[in-house]
Amino acid sequence: MFLIAGIQPKTHKGPKTDQICPRCGLAQVYERRLDHYASLFFIPLLRVKKGESFGWCDRCQAPLSPPEDSPAQDHC
């Protein structure tokens, strides 16, 4: 009997943001998140790790950094 199990990444596409892509200049930026799932026979069953959200341009396929107007963490 063979058992094929493992952990595989899965990308979730979120809502469209009002950000403009600095690379192509279009407003085609969507929120994305890369989660990791435990799988059995290549079927994702259980989310093991929830990833951080990031911007992704659908036109030029480039990841974007978080917007500059987001509050920065101050370390004393």
Side-chain angles (χ1 to χ4, degrees):
M1 184 166 108
F2 290 101
L3 179 67
I4 302 174
I7 295 179
Q8 64 185 27
K10 187 174 179 183
T11 304
H12 292 278
K13 185 175 179 180
K16 188 173 183 177
T17 64
D18 56 354
Q19 237 180 336
I20 295 178
C21 177
R23 212 167 146 191
C24 66
L26 295 176
Q28 296 285 329
V29 179
Y30 287 85
E31 197 174 290
R32 296 254 174 139
R33 188 180 72 225
L34 184 66
D35 295 341
H36 290 82
Y37 283 82
S39 61
L40 183 63
F41 294 107
F42 305 106
I43 300 171
L45 299 174
L46 178 67
R47 184 173 65 199
V48 177
K49 180 182 174 188
K50 185 176 179 180
E52 296 279 328
S53 294
F54 60 93
W56 183 266
C57 180
D58 269 0
R59 172 120 195 263
C60 62
Q61 302 295 311
L64 304 176
S65 59
E68 274 64 348
D69 57 76
S70 62
Q73 292 181 356
D74 224 3
H75 296 293
C76 295

